[in-house]
Amino acid sequence: MIALDAAGLTKTYWYYEKDPGLLGALRGLFRTRKTPVEAVRDLNFEMRLGEVVGLIGPNGAGKTTTLKMLCGILHPSEGRIAVLGFTPSRREKAFLKSIAYVSGQRNRLFWDLPAEDYFRFCKAIYEIPDDLYERNRRRVIEVAEIGDILTVPQRKLSFGQRKRCELAAALLHDPKVILLDEPTNAMDLLSAGRVRQFIREEAREGKRAVIVTSHNMTDIETVCERVTILDKGRILYDGLLRNLNHADHSVKRIRVRFQGTWQIESLRQLGKVTLLQEDEISLEVEPARAPQVASCLLSTSAVRDISITDPSLEEILGSIYGKTS
Amino acid sequence: MGQIRRYLRIVSLLIKTGLMQQMAYRPHFVSMFAGKVIRIALLLLFFQAVFLKVDRIGSWSYDQVLLLFATFHVVDFLMSITFHRNLAFYLPQKVHSGDFDARMLLPVNLLFLSSFERIELIDFASFLPTLGFLGYVLSRLEFSFTGGQLLVYLILLANALLFLFAAVLAIASLSFWTTQSSGLARIFDSLLKVGRYPIEIFEGFWRSVFLYILPLVLIAQLPSEALLGILSPRAVLITGAMTGFLLALALLLWRAGLKQYQSASS
């Protein structure tokens, strides 16, 4: 079932330019320059229930703006969106009961009260039936591992603990579409790992559509099968994560540690030398040639260790962004 | 009926949550209560001073002026414990910080939530003496009033609240464009205080302003005149029409503002 369908989605912001300093501020009172910023441009996107999509891109790429349009916070300047058949900007009750949006940088829980009080607030606002509430409450508490902090006021919790409580609260009403904006932002390794586990668990049964934005590629690699890469408001790539490497810049990396002497000139004939140390080099070659190059290296030199790997997601993205900038 | 019950439940939940948050800090709770009591005491002292020093204001006698004062403060209290601070101050803050996002995601009427999100039960404590004061003033009136007059008085009180709601909503909605509108809200609050004096104390330009442009007379003066039996049915109709017009305008601004909302960066 199609969970999300966006066509020609565009969002233009306007802001007033202001010169720096006090003089600039004074001048700004009388003379303003209104400047448009196209945060999202002609975005076409479709997603099915059961998919987990990573929405990635550099700062200002339009990720958060896209999520906010999908959940009805922002009205698109152009284009149309359907989420579970609803138009988000109409903010219909049935639509709002079917989605959850969690921002990694904002706190929506009651600052002076424990998460348990916010859970009860959600129960009343979302009109969650008693049995469903109890079932979901138990499940999200277990998965988010927050059983021991439920009665602690939010202001006394660490950032990671607060975020886990918030994620749990966002899922109490059983949303079909979950939008997570940098869910592991500023978290330590342990908390981030728990959140990733949480997202995986939620997406496991295939009844939900989950979109995750993150600058942490471990989040994306751990939880997403599909990625959509945005830059300057446009989609650069939309497809399976595992196909990303083959999309347009196929390369394999062969890392070799030598035992004895080796000739740099002969290595340069095999591929692009990217890392050069006393006894270790890294070669970038076309994927089809990788076995042949490795075999050649093993037969012509004394090799202590050899490995063939794909470039990291960060490197692939760096190369994609580099081409567009 | 189901929807009314649901929203009443939400109001009670918001009140309960507000109270729990205030009680999270016991010293704050106690000092707030003391603050409210002092505020009421000062208000009563002010009324006493008026009694002692002034004979008449315009054509209004002592008791009639006291009725005007009491009516104004009842409306002012009802406004301040419900929608005023929510719309005039909290809403622009949330629009500015982007915290409004979280409210937009809740499956509740957004205008309702924005207007009544924080209702502080402690304020009801300070409302009771005001009501008591109104009762005292009514008992002092030299002539009795009919049930019909009382009914029109209550309807005009509701109309005054609706008028103020529309005015505050219109000002608050501007924050979607300006990102800050609390300055305008403060100017409105200052002007609002004019409503507790008889319009007769103003002449010329300002009288026209407070009658036709910013008709503050309909907050306390017109309900008081209705109770005193000196208000024409035509004035009642015009008052209702003015409120209806302002409310329609405010709702248009609110809807346009929601479309305009730009949130804040992540």
Side-chain angles (χ1 to χ4, degrees), chain A residues 13-14 64 68 71 73-75 91 93 96 101 105-106 108 110 112-113 121 124-127 155, chain B residues 3 6 13 17 20-21 25 97 99 101 104-108 110 258-259 261-266:
Chain A
Y13 288 114
W14 294 86
T64 301
K68 286 183 178 175
C71 66
I73 291 174
L74 295 177
H75 286 240
R91 298 187 58 261
K93 199 167 118 185
L96 294 169
Y101 169 72
Q105 314 209 28
R106 295 195 183 280
R108 76 167 79 173
F110 302 132
D112 294 313
L113 300 179
F121 176 78
I125 293 281
Y126 285 94
E127 298 173 288
R155 65 193 159 84
Chain B
Q3 279 299 305
R6 177 173 182 242
L13 184 73
T17 308
M20 283 193 297
Q21 292 193 76
Y25 302 100
S97 66
D99 287 344
D101 291 4
M104 292 189 84
L105 296 167
L106 296 174
V108 184
L110 197 54
L258 287 181
K259 269 193 180 178
Y261 178 57
Q262 299 212 346
S263 183
S265 171
S266 63

